[in-house]
Amino acid sequence: MRREKEKIAVLVRAIPEKGKRNGEGHAVGVTGINEDGELLRLYPLRFRYGEGLVDFKKNDLLEVTVTRPENDMRWESRKVLDYVNLEKPAKDREIKEFILPLVTSLEKLNVERASLGVVKPELLDIEVKINSLEIFDRQQYFDMMGDFLEKGEKVGMPVEIKYIFRCEGEEACRGHKIVLLDWELNEAVRNIVRGDKEPLAVKRKIREQLFDHLKGKELYFIMGTHFIYGTWLITGVFCPEKESVNQRSIFDFRQKRTVTEMNKGKQEHPVLNR
């Protein structure tokens, strides 16, 4: 199969999975955006549990060697053969510039038969279901997440969170209720559970942190479809920091960059071509 190299900015780190070959090692999936502004689903980025967690995070720039997967026909999917962390994380402002042109609605994504996308939600409510308040170690938690995904949501996570929202700017949107699988936010939930064992108190704190706090923020959902069932999942949440009055807007950034490129007589991507 043809091998290609892509330079991508990490938007989402998925929940790590135990290796399927001999049960050794772990793998993590990534949603990233490449130099052409395309969303890509990248899997597997391998690491060994116990030798340190995944050596990259959101906003990091990776150079990945990829090929087309044999068992995943979604056109955005790539099989990762190798990767290198370029140790040059992008700022939220730069990531925002990447994703703004991609913002759409689930209604349009369905028409396009896409399996990845970005929506700007109008948050209406949050649904929190507590299946267990026991503290799971990382491996047990990852296994439960794997069961949750592979069995089509028939096996419950310790705490299940669903956002109820409308796609901002989409007249045809009648609202959605979709499960959250964002790794970082689910870790925030685990921290809440560590500190409180009373279900109503846990639900209240989750609502405060993951709904009330986010409702007043600039918020984007990174959406992806379930591998088997094709249903939409919230795989990541992007909540950029507010820009101060002294900061340039992304439009000024682009305009000034274009003028600079014209003066230099060359084109240069501000993030990926560092």
Side-chain angles (χ1 to χ4, degrees):
M1 288 187 175
R2 181 181 176 184
R3 298 185 176 194
E4 299 177 342
K5 283 197 173 182
E6 295 266 16
K7 195 179 289 186
I8 64 106
V10 176
L11 301 180
V12 174
R13 294 189 311 176
I15 301 292
E17 301 174 357
K18 192 171 183 178
K20 293 181 174 63
R21 294 182 180 178
N22 302 322
E24 293 183 358
H26 289 73
V28 65
V30 161
T31 299
I33 188 166
N34 67 9
E35 295 173 278
D36 297 322
E38 299 172 322
L39 288 175
L40 296 178
R41 178 184 294 101
L42 304 159
Y43 180 85
L45 286 82
R46 300 191 182 280
F47 70 104
R48 283 191 173 276
Y49 184 75
E51 296 178 1
L53 292 178
V54 184
D55 63 347
F56 61 86
K57 56 187 181 296
K58 284 183 179 180
N59 291 26
D60 278 359
L61 303 181
L62 307 180
E63 184 176 76
V64 293
T65 303
V66 298
T67 187
R68 290 283 181 175
E70 299 174 0
N71 60 349
D72 189 344
M73 295 299 103
R74 294 173 293 185
W75 70 267
E76 304 98 330
S77 297
R78 301 289 186 275
K79 179 180 179 180
V80 177
L81 305 174
D82 194 15
Y83 75 94
V84 176
N85 189 334
L86 299 178
E87 307 291 346
K88 298 176 181 178
K91 297 178 180 178
D92 275 358
R93 176 174 54 83
E94 296 169 319
I95 294 294
K96 179 179 171 181
E97 183 185 5
F98 273 106
I99 70 170
L100 274 182
L102 303 177
V103 175
T104 182
S105 66
L106 286 179
E107 288 71 24
K108 289 185 173 66
L109 290 171
N110 285 330
V111 170
E112 297 165 2
R113 296 186 178 181
S115 68
L116 288 177
V118 181
V119 302
K120 195 172 191 306
E122 177 190 345
L123 292 185
L124 302 177
D125 206 349
I126 189 172
E127 183 179 286
V128 180
K129 181 181 179 183
I130 296 178
N131 296 314
S132 173
L133 289 180
E134 293 181 25
I135 294 297
F136 295 89
D137 66 25
R138 284 191 174 93
Q139 183 54 58
Q140 289 175 317
Y141 187 66
F142 294 165
D143 287 346
M144 288 191 70
M145 287 295 295
D147 289 340
F148 177 80
L149 291 172
E150 292 172 8
K151 298 178 182 178
E153 303 180 15
K154 293 179 182 178
V155 175
M157 294 183 290
V159 178
E160 297 176 34
I161 296 171
K162 293 182 180 180
Y163 278 113
I164 301 166
F165 66 95
R166 283 196 292 263
C167 299
E168 188 174 291
E170 178 57 74
E171 294 182 1
C173 181
R174 297 183 178 180
H176 307 279
K177 182 165 71 172
I178 299 180
V179 68
L180 171 72
L181 294 180
D182 182 277
W183 184 3
E184 278 82 1
L185 289 190
N186 275 295
E187 282 298 300
V189 170
R190 279 162 49 79
N191 288 333
I192 292 174
V193 173
R194 285 189 183 99
D196 205 320
K197 297 300 182 184
E198 204 284 308
L200 289 179
V202 169
K203 284 188 175 184
R204 176 178 54 80
K205 290 178 181 179
I206 290 174
R207 185 178 185 88
E208 287 174 354
Q209 289 193 27
L210 274 64
F211 183 74
D212 297 338
H213 178 69
L214 290 181
K215 196 170 183 181
K217 300 280 188 178
E218 182 177 3
L219 185 64
Y220 302 89
F221 284 165
I222 312 299
M223 309 296 301
T225 58
H226 189 288
F227 174 64
I228 298 174
Y229 301 97
T231 53
W232 286 103
L233 307 167
I234 302 171
T235 60
V237 173
F238 176 58
C239 186
E241 296 179 3
K242 293 285 186 181
E243 294 182 355
S244 68
V245 176
N246 295 326
Q247 284 181 306
R248 298 176 296 184
S249 73
I250 59 169
F251 303 106
D252 292 337
F253 179 79
R254 281 181 172 173
Q255 188 175 33
K256 290 180 181 181
R257 180 165 59 86
T258 303
V259 170
T260 302
E261 289 168 355
M262 292 174 62
N263 291 337
K264 289 183 178 180
K266 66 177 181 179
Q267 291 187 341
E268 185 175 89
H269 197 288
V271 181
L272 295 182
N273 285 345
R274 289 177 178 175

